[in-house]
């Protein structure tokens, strides 16, 4: 899928299990990505989404954040409620706090 000027992409409620870098690589100007109510187990595929402000991942099966957000530096809104997270390690999201102070 290639929509280089796409700003908002809503893929909520689609039974998506995984997002790979190739899924979003041509949509690198995304500002808002809605992946709520899917079956995603890990945060990945966001390497080229450097302009992303809003990431909605609530109601999935995510167990840990890992390194999936390390390239997303402009994030202001991150929704992770209703997942399988038991703890959030500061090292997983530490870079997000340095400049932007996202709202959780």
């Amino acid at each position: 899928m290639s929509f280089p000027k796409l700003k908002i992409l809503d893929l909520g409620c689609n039974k998506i299990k995984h997002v790979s870098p190739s899924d979003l690589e041509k949509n690198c100007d995304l500002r808002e990505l809605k992946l709520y109510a899917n079956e995603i187990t890990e945060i990945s595929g966001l390497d080229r989404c450097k302009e992303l402000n809003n990431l909605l991942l609530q109601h999935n099966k995510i167990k840990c954040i890992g390194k999936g957000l390390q390239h997303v530096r402009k994030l202001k809104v991150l929704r992770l409620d209703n997942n399988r997270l038991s703890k959030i390690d500061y090292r997983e999201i530490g870079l997000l706090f340095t400049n932007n102070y996202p709202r959780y």
Side-chain angles (χ1 to χ4, degrees):
M1 155 175 84
S2 176
F3 301 99
K5 295 185 179 187
L6 188 66
K7 303 286 186 214
I8 300 171
L9 180 59
D10 188 343
L11 294 172
C13 304
N14 279 293
K15 298 183 181 178
I16 295 170
K17 294 183 180 184
H18 185 266
V19 178
S20 69
S22 62
D23 294 334
L24 298 171
E25 71 182 351
K26 295 186 176 153
N27 302 309
C28 55
D29 204 28
L30 276 177
R31 307 302 162 115
E32 185 169 347
L33 181 57
K34 300 176 182 182
L35 290 167
Y36 56 86
N38 280 295
E39 298 176 8
I40 297 170
T41 57
E42 68 177 343
I43 301 172
S44 63
L46 303 175
D47 299 356
R48 309 230 30 216
C49 298
K50 298 190 187 314
E51 299 300 318
L52 198 60
N53 291 320
N54 298 331
L55 179 58
L56 309 180
L57 289 166
Q58 67 271 31
H59 298 281
N60 276 287
K61 298 177 180 180
I62 298 168
K63 292 182 181 178
C64 70
I65 295 173
K67 295 184 179 183
L69 298 176
Q70 69 183 9
H71 297 288
V72 187
R73 303 276 173 94
K74 294 186 178 182
L75 201 59
K76 295 190 185 323
V77 176
L78 173 62
R79 294 278 313 265
L80 287 169
D81 45 297
N82 291 298
N83 274 286
R84 296 181 178 170
L85 292 167
S86 58
K87 67 177 183 171
I88 297 177
D89 188 335
Y90 174 76
R91 291 169 291 193
E92 295 174 329
I93 59 172
L95 290 174
L96 295 175
F97 286 109
T98 55
N99 298 321
N100 296 317
Y101 306 103
R103 188 176 67 201
Y104 296 95

